[in-house]
Amino acid sequence: MSYVWTLGEQFEGKLRGVSFELLARGKKLAEELDTKVCSLILGHNISDEDLEELIQRGADEVYFVDDPRLADFQNETYSNVISDLINQYHPHIVLAAATTIGRVVMPYVAIKVNTGLTADCTQLEIQPETKLLLQTRPAIGGNIMATIKTPDHMPQMATVRPKSSRPLDKDPSRSGKIQRIVLKDELVDTRAKVIEFRTDDAGFVNIEEADVVVAGGKGLKQAANVKLVEDLAKQLDGVVGASRQAIDRGWLSYPHQVGLSGKTISATLLLTAGISGSIQYLAGIKTCENIVAINNDPEANIFGVSDFGIVGDLFEVLPLLTQKLAQAKK
Amino acid sequence: MNIIVLVKQVPETSNVKMDPETGTMIREGLETIINPLDLYAIEAALRLKEQHGGKVTAISMGPPAAMKALRETMAMGVDEAALVSDRKFGGADTWATSYTLGQAIKEMGEFDIIMAGERATDGDTGQVGPGLGAWLNLPVVSYVAHIKEVTKDSITCDRLMEEGYQVVKAPFPVVITTVKEIAEPRLPTLRGNKRARQTEIPVYSTENMTVDVGSLGLKGSPTKVVKIETPKVTRSGTLLKANSEETIESAVDQLIEWLKERELV
Ligand SMILES: Cc1cc2nc3c(=O)[nH]c(=O)nc-3n(C[C@H](O)[C@H](O)[C@H](O)COP(=O)(O)OP(=O)(O)OC[C@H]3O[C@@H](n4cnc5c(N)ncnc54)[C@H](O)[C@@H]3O)c2cc1C
Ligand SMILES: Cc1cc2nc3c(=O)[nH]c(=O)nc-3n(C[C@H](O)[C@H](O)[C@H](O)COP(=O)(O)OP(=O)(O)OC[C@H]3O[C@@H](n4cnc5c(N)ncnc54)[C@H](O)[C@@H]3O)c2cc1C
């Protein structure tokens, strides 16, 4: 079967948004190759409604491996299951999200099924002459774009940057097959065990998958002023990000950090305040769609990559912006 | 406790200049450094050794010049180092890199933990650590932010995920990849520097390790880079001055208009 597979993801039984983003990519490729796109899900207690949504958003078929031992992500068991299915069904393309799941399980699977893997792609196309998958990805902190192909191995595998594509709208008229697959005991690897899951603070953020990020840096001057970015983030239904300077000063916890040694984000709107725009910070924001910068230094690097910049004092601009947005809402 | 740390030598891109004409990075004359994200793995390994005894060995695959990175790890306190180097290894993708590193590690004897950085700042894939785990058939715990407990035969870590921390307990031997939160890297010491200069670093090549020659380097790599482009990163955005009461007010109003036009609010 020369199908295109997308590896959906679930957290605590709910499908994650990337599952649908991948389907949008997969469907386009499948159409060009005149084949089907299938969504593979590993987990437990996923509702029929969720599985149905995969069909409505592009899947021709859904394979759901349902078992309590797959409820939490465990790399080795997940890899065994995915490798086993690949060896059984021989898809031509396997896409996963470049998340903390996809970026581990896919390289593991690639070795097990003896093929290549392209990381963190932002563009995927079929090369007309060869029908091969052209996989384009940012490297060296987003300063170059490399196009990669896997000419002699199957499947062709790639991880795809979250938020780099939009899910398709729900189409209730679509129909497709949902196949439940039983987990084979011999695929369960019990060496590494997941003991628990926790978030350390109430403010734990998933900045990689947020639509709107409001980020603050050293220009905030002290911890108390983080409130300025928090208030604005709240108005914009966004989450708070930060430069490393703000993290290393202890103003915010590490999961908020954007950049080379933090997270890469692809927000629809990124608003940064009091951040100079160092090369390491920029490495994390290159694929954001709209960038707004507020900085009192007209020469700040950040303005070179912004779509809208305000040269001004963040202590004046942020509160006014928050206030006006609140008024506009009423 | 025997710990192997994977170290990659990368071009120093932090002081890189951008070409104002093309908006692309100027790559000439860049120095090489230890992949900055490997420093966290090195630090975590050194701390484990200090608390539990044992030995830390750094291993790097690269050209002979990668010796410099290995000596720097020794200056930080790493006990031993090994270079994996051969013309035939050149141009390897992550499949071939992790294969070759795995074969070298098999020559090196018993170990409890292999530590890797989250990503290298040039190739930027984050695939070598997990790939190596697959070659050696070991459990992989990635994105480790804290080490919570170590016993004589297991390690318990916090793994940073999108929604929070997954607490994972894994038996030795295990592959761990680290994030910045794990530890603040120490600086090299004078004594360490001296020891680093005086120590002989062994080299593994096709001469003294068992490898399938077809699985090496560019030839053995399933992925092929077909094109490299340097995108223009500059954006020509609106830039407004806000330095008086009116200009601030007007800038904020224009921003809100702009956001509305794009349906961002
Ligand atoms: C290996 C390595 C990895 C790194 N990884 C990261 C990373 O992941 N993320 C990251 O961010 N950095 C990273 N850095 C650090 C990076 O080099 C910079 O030091 C950092 O990004 C600067 O943070 P900043 O912009 O908040 O601070 P600064 O560069 O000090 O900038 C503060 C800005 O605030 C402005 N400002 C001050 N007061 C006001 C005001 N009242 N109103 C408006 N603007 C004001 C100033 O004009 C200035 O532009 C890394 C560095 C290295 C070497
Ligand atoms: C522009 C570009 C794009 C590329 N894209 C891909 C791709 O999509 N898929 C692919 O398979 N290959 C790709 N490659 C090849 C890849 O960069 C090399 O295989 C490289 O040797 C290792 O990958 P990395 O830099 O991504 O390391 P990462 O996997 O990001 O490194 C993770 C960790 O592994 C360890 N490590 C990595 N390399 C070494 C080493 N040589 N010696 C010791 N430890 C090491 C370090 O601890 C490091 O922190 C690309 C290369 C370039 C130049």
Side-chain angles (χ1 to χ4, degrees), chain A residues 117-119 137 139 144 146 148, chain B residues 6-8 35 38 59-61 92-95 97 101 116-120 122-129 223 225 228:
Chain A
L117 174 65
T118 305
R137 60 176 300 249
I144 66 165
I148 290 169
Chain B
L6 304 183
V7 178
K8 188 179 185 194
N35 171 31
D38 291 350
I59 168 169
S60 186
M61 173 171 135
D93 73 352
T94 61
W95 187 98
T97 301
L101 284 169
E118 178 194 343
R119 275 177 287 129
D122 54 349
D124 227 353
T125 66
Q127 293 177 178
V128 170
T223 65
V225 177
I228 297 224

Side-chain angles (χ1 to χ4, degrees), chain A residues 73 76 100 104 108 145 147 149 191 193 195-196 198 248 257 260 279-280 288 309 311 324, chain B residues 14 16 119 137-138 140 158-159 162 165 167 169 180 224 226-227 229 235 238 240 242 249 253:
Chain A
F73 170 68
E76 293 68 53
T100 59
V104 190
Y108 209 92
M145 296 296 284
T147 302
K149 67 181 178 186
R191 285 179 295 176
K193 292 188 174 61
I195 296 174
E196 61 165 329
R198 39 162 247 279
D248 288 355
Q257 187 183 317
L260 185 77
I279 195 139
Q280 294 90 358
C288 287
V311 185
K324 286 196 177 232
Chain B
S14 64
V16 84
R119 275 177 287 129
N137 203 19
L138 298 178
V140 175
D158 278 353
R159 178 175 186 275
E162 284 77 4
Y165 296 97
V167 186
K169 180 175 181 180
K180 163 180 175 264
K224 310 283 176 205
V226 291
K227 190 172 70 182
E229 280 179 337
R235 306 184 185 204
T238 319
L240 301 176
E249 172 114 26
D253 287 337

Side-chain angles (χ1 to χ4, degrees), chain B residues 178-217:
Chain B
T178 55
V179 295
K180 163 180 175 264
E181 197 177 10
I182 198 164
E184 179 68 32
R186 68 192 65 187
L187 295 170
T189 61
L190 276 175
R191 223 180 90 222
N193 258 319
K194 189 163 167 235
R195 200 173 56 84
R197 275 199 310 273
Q198 290 166 348
T199 312
E200 187 80 32
I201 295 180
V203 180
Y204 290 95
S205 69
T206 50
E207 308 272 300
N208 58 357
M209 58 192 261
T210 317
V211 282
D212 163 28
V213 182
S215 302
L216 301 176

Side-chain angles (χ1 to χ4, degrees), chain A residues 4-294:
Chain A
V4 175
W5 281 10
T6 63
L7 179 67
E9 287 187 11
Q10 54 89 23
F11 177 69
E12 295 180 343
K14 288 301 294 170
L15 293 182
R16 297 170 73 175
V18 288
S19 314
F20 305 114
E21 293 170 22
L22 289 171
L23 273 173
R25 296 263 188 191
K27 184 158 188 282
K28 186 174 151 273
L29 300 175
E31 277 166 3
E32 281 175 56
L33 291 171
D34 203 12
T35 183
K36 289 185 177 176
V37 57
C38 303
S39 183
L40 171 62
I41 304 279
L42 281 63
H44 186 50
N45 277 341
I46 297 171
S47 69
D48 290 343
E49 208 179 337
D50 268 16
L51 296 174
E52 203 57 52
E53 186 171 348
L54 290 165
I55 304 275
Q56 292 177 0
R57 291 191 193 267
D60 297 306
E61 292 182 16
V62 173
Y63 302 151
F64 174 33
V65 193
D66 184 5
D67 194 283
R69 289 168 291 179
L70 297 173
D72 293 314
F73 170 68
Q74 198 269 18
N75 180 58
E76 293 68 53
T77 301
Y78 268 50
S79 300
N80 290 342
V81 172
I82 298 165
S83 306
D84 184 58
L85 290 169
I86 289 175
N87 289 333
Q88 190 177 339
Y89 292 104
H90 306 291
H92 276 195
I93 293 176
V94 180
L95 307 179
T99 55
T100 59
I101 292 177
R103 289 193 88 153
V104 190
V105 79
M106 288 287 275
Y108 209 92
V109 168
I111 303 302
K112 295 291 180 192
V113 304
N114 190 23
T115 190
L117 174 65
T118 305
D120 203 19
C121 299
T122 53
Q123 243 172 285
L124 295 171
E125 313 168 317
I126 301 294
Q127 190 173 37
E129 316 88 84
T130 59
K131 298 286 178 203
L132 287 171
L133 181 64
L134 292 179
Q135 314 160 95
T136 302
R137 60 176 300 249
I140 321 191
N143 289 303
I144 66 165
M145 296 296 284
T147 302
I148 290 169
K149 67 181 178 186
T150 312
D152 307 314
H153 294 68
M154 279 291 164
Q156 304 164 80
M157 308 216 308
T159 58
V160 180
R161 184 171 287 193
K163 305 237 61 99
S164 67
S165 55
R166 275 175 209 287
L168 301 170
D169 288 335
K170 275 197 205 179
D171 177 355
S173 70
R174 282 181 56 84
S175 62
K177 188 171 77 182
I178 296 175
Q179 191 180 333
R180 280 169 201 268
I181 296 175
V182 176
L183 173 65
K184 299 178 192 162
D185 286 335
E186 70 266 26
L187 299 179
V188 178
D189 186 327
T190 55
R191 285 179 295 176
K193 292 188 174 61
V194 176
I195 296 174
E196 61 165 329
F197 196 90
R198 39 162 247 279
T199 50
D200 275 351
D201 54 294
F204 195 95
V205 287
N206 179 356
I207 55 175
E208 295 106 311
E209 287 167 53
D211 282 323
V212 178
V213 177
V214 181
K218 196 171 134 195
L220 289 172
K221 303 215 162 58
Q222 59 186 57
N225 298 327
V226 169
K227 194 167 181 315
L228 296 175
V229 280
E230 281 170 352
D231 289 346
L232 179 57
K234 220 175 276 165
Q235 273 311 317
L236 291 165
D237 293 323
V239 300
V240 173
S243 73
R244 174 163 170 177
Q245 288 285 345
I247 304 296
D248 288 355
R249 285 175 165 67
W251 300 346
L252 281 157
S253 63
Y254 174 65
H256 295 266
Q257 187 183 317
V258 175
L260 185 77
S261 54
K263 290 174 181 168
T264 304
I265 60 173
S266 300
T268 320
L269 172 63
L270 167 68
L271 197 148
T272 83
I275 291 179
S276 60
S278 66
I279 195 139
Q280 294 90 358
Y281 178 76
L282 297 186
I285 67 166
K286 296 243 167 81
T287 46
C288 287
E289 214 171 304
N290 294 286
I291 301 178
V292 176
I294 299 162

